[in-house]
Amino acid sequence: MNARFWINLVLAIGVIYMSGCKKKDAATKEPELKIGAKTEAKEKIAMSIKDETFKRTIDGKQVELYTLTNSNDLRVRITNYGAILVSLEVPDRKGNLADITLGFDTLDGYLKGHPYFGATVGRYANRIGKARFVLEGTEYKLAANNNENHLHGGIKGFDKVVWKAEEIVTEDGPALKMTYVSEDGEEGYPGNLACSVIYTLTEDNELKISYEAQTDKTTVLNLTNHSYFNLAGQGTCDILGHMLVLNADKYTVVDEGLIPTGENRSVKDSPMDFTKAESIGSRIGQVEGGYDHNYVLNSGGGSLALAASVYEPSSGRTMEVYTTEPGIQLYTGNFLDGSITGKNGKVYNKHFGFCLETQHFPDSPNKPDFPPVVLRPGQKYVTETVYRFYTK
Ligand code: GLA
């Protein structure tokens, strides 16, 4: 056997070791604890996220970190800066909690700029081609912040503004309601827009996100949450071994700028097909750049329906996504490259998180055949997405 054989063998072992979550490096293992073991251990998971590191006045408004818990010890942390989901701790099949979203321990982490970790994205989540659209005969020009296109609400989108927060108790469980009034012309969009986003943690281990908005001028709107999930525990490994099902027979075909061409193509016999459980990584090499696509949900939107289900074999953690939206963007953290160090000192390498952004389709303001995104005065925008957790 020659030297090349041994080099290839070592490389292959390295690749197997790096991918998936089966073999964890003890030194980088996320602290975990048993549910019910009240305690220091419990403090350990969120130890690096401290309330005081989020206290700050920005744009004359107070920023804070809020915590929601349920009686199963699930814990959600949210900041009113960008209405960002900072952490989400859920149990594995043995009852060990781990934080399963990517993000930062401090507000500074978010202020330095980041790829929308946990953020509420608006006014228009995803891309608008050539950063313009025409509404009732008027052309509106938006910031071109993604080459010639507009992405995720522009330069200072909803992910970078301070929302007013109020802790409330609902029938479903503890909740955080955040409101923000976006002024007429903000980031180029028409109309004063009053928005609210409510995060509720239920006793059924669901994180419910409800959005509402009203405008005083005809406008377009598409709100989502941009959390990056890793059901094995944030920062521990890539997400290529997660098993995914998407309730979608079609996806919107895009051009090189990731703007839909207008064609909705069947996923059948292609690496885009997740109608049956498949690992995210099994065919990702056949998809240029990795998954960053909008799927056309079979439900058609309008009422709450199961859109996606993700299962992580080593922990047993399973997440279901229900939404009233007609589309869902599967993004597999293709642009993560190890340059960001997140919570607990974890380095976020390529594919270390996946996003399932429930939404209307990209570039809908310029695509009359797509489900409409126009909001008129007197109408109420109401959408909801639910992430439900259990183990297998
Ligand atoms: C979205 C987009 C991606 C990328 C990420 C943020 O999911 O579709 O192309 O911009 O946000 O990095």
Side-chain angles (χ1 to χ4, degrees):
M1 275 170 250
N2 58 23
R4 182 171 293 274
F5 170 85
W6 289 108
I7 290 169
N8 286 340
L9 185 68
V10 168
L11 285 175
I13 291 170
V15 167
I16 291 165
Y17 187 78
M18 292 300 293
S19 169
C21 277
K22 282 177 204 113
K23 295 169 188 151
K24 275 189 200 162
D25 178 348
T28 60
K29 208 175 163 199
E30 187 77 354
E32 289 189 338
L33 81 153
K34 290 261 186 215
I35 291 189
K38 304 268 162 237
T39 68
E40 306 149 31
K42 179 163 187 179
E43 297 312 312
K44 266 193 201 157
I45 288 182
M47 122 188 116
S48 44
I49 309 172
K50 294 204 174 70
D51 291 19
E52 57 279 16
T53 62
F54 280 80
K55 278 194 198 300
R56 183 91 56 92
T57 307
I58 294 177
D59 299 337
K61 298 172 190 162
Q62 184 61 38
V63 177
E64 300 277 354
L65 183 68
Y66 298 86
T67 304
L68 306 176
T69 47
N70 73 5
S71 59
N72 304 322
D73 275 350
L74 265 74
R75 177 157 62 173
V76 180
R77 296 192 145 209
I78 303 152
T79 175
N80 58 321
Y81 174 77
I84 291 172
L85 176 68
V86 173
S87 67
L88 175 53
E89 292 154 48
V90 301
D92 67 6
R93 63 165 78 88
K94 294 186 193 135
N96 296 315
L97 289 175
D99 181 0
I100 56 148
T101 64
L102 276 54
F104 300 102
D105 296 324
T106 65
L107 180 62
D108 277 329
Y110 293 97
L111 295 176
K112 275 187 215 144
H114 64 105
Y116 305 93
F117 289 147
T120 296
V121 179
R123 291 191 190 190
Y124 200 94
N126 217 308
R127 293 173 176 79
I128 297 180
K130 302 212 164 56
R132 46 79 67 191
F133 61 92
V134 175
L135 202 54
E136 297 179 336
T138 306
E139 178 178 52
Y140 293 95
K141 290 206 166 84
L142 309 168
N145 61 333
N146 189 243
N147 302 318
E148 56 173 358
N149 304 317
H150 178 82
L151 176 67
H152 292 333
I155 294 168
K156 189 172 179 181
F158 287 2
D159 59 302
K160 297 183 189 71
V161 300
V162 181
W163 296 63
K164 195 168 158 230
E166 189 191 343
E167 286 168 290
I168 53 176
V169 179
T170 70
E171 275 177 12
D172 295 333
L176 184 71
K177 177 177 183 181
M178 287 172 285
T179 52
Y180 175 67
V181 179
S182 172
E183 285 183 10
D184 188 13
E186 196 172 293
E187 294 297 313
Y189 292 97
N192 291 297
L193 186 80
C195 297
S196 72
V197 48
I198 305 178
Y199 287 86
T200 309
L201 181 61
T202 75
E203 284 300 313
D204 297 327
N205 294 352
E206 298 161 326
L207 176 64
K208 192 156 93 176
I209 310 183
S210 320
Y211 306 86
E212 282 189 14
Q214 280 181 292
T215 184
D216 62 1
K217 231 190 234 178
T218 304
T219 193
V220 295
L221 187 60
N222 185 29
L223 302 176
T224 196
N225 180 276
H226 206 301
S227 288
Y228 288 63
F229 296 97
N230 188 326
L231 301 182
Q234 67 96 21
T236 54
C237 56
D238 65 50
I239 48 77
L240 299 179
H242 286 50
M243 303 297 291
L244 172 67
V245 181
L246 289 175
N247 204 351
D249 294 340
K250 289 184 178 165
Y251 69 102
T252 50
V253 178
V254 287
D255 64 18
E256 323 76 66
L258 302 186
I259 301 296
T261 60
E263 182 196 352
N264 294 347
R265 190 177 293 168
S266 166
V267 296
K268 210 164 182 292
D269 301 324
S270 84
M272 301 300 290
D273 190 354
F274 285 100
T275 52
K276 292 196 193 72
E278 270 292 343
S279 73
I280 292 178
S282 64
R283 300 153 304 168
I284 198 168
Q286 299 167 48
V287 180
E288 212 190 320
Y291 296 100
D292 194 357
H293 294 82
N294 172 62
Y295 281 80
V296 178
L297 292 171
N298 294 341
S299 66
S303 54
L304 203 63
L306 181 65
S309 158
V310 194
Y311 163 68
E312 197 287 301
S314 72
S315 64
R317 288 192 189 91
T318 307
M319 177 174 89
E320 285 176 346
V321 184
Y322 296 80
T323 188
T324 58
E325 291 285 0
I328 198 165
Q329 183 87 3
L330 169 63
Y331 171 60
T332 46
N334 314 324
F335 302 127
L336 297 176
D337 58 4
S339 60
I340 296 179
T341 299
K343 288 178 278 189
N344 252 321
K346 295 292 164 69
V347 172
Y348 298 148
N349 290 313
K350 190 167 182 176
H351 304 315
F352 262 43
F354 68 88
C355 304
L356 285 169
E357 304 154 59
T358 54
Q359 60 182 7
H360 269 62
F361 306 170
D363 202 30
S364 298
N366 295 309
K367 296 280 188 307
D369 294 340
F370 283 177
V373 290
V374 176
L375 183 71
R376 297 192 166 80
Q379 294 179 330
K380 199 172 195 180
Y381 172 97
V382 182
T383 69
E384 186 168 281
T385 293
V386 177
Y387 298 99
R388 176 172 170 258
F389 298 95
Y390 60 96
T391 57
K392 282 202 235 184

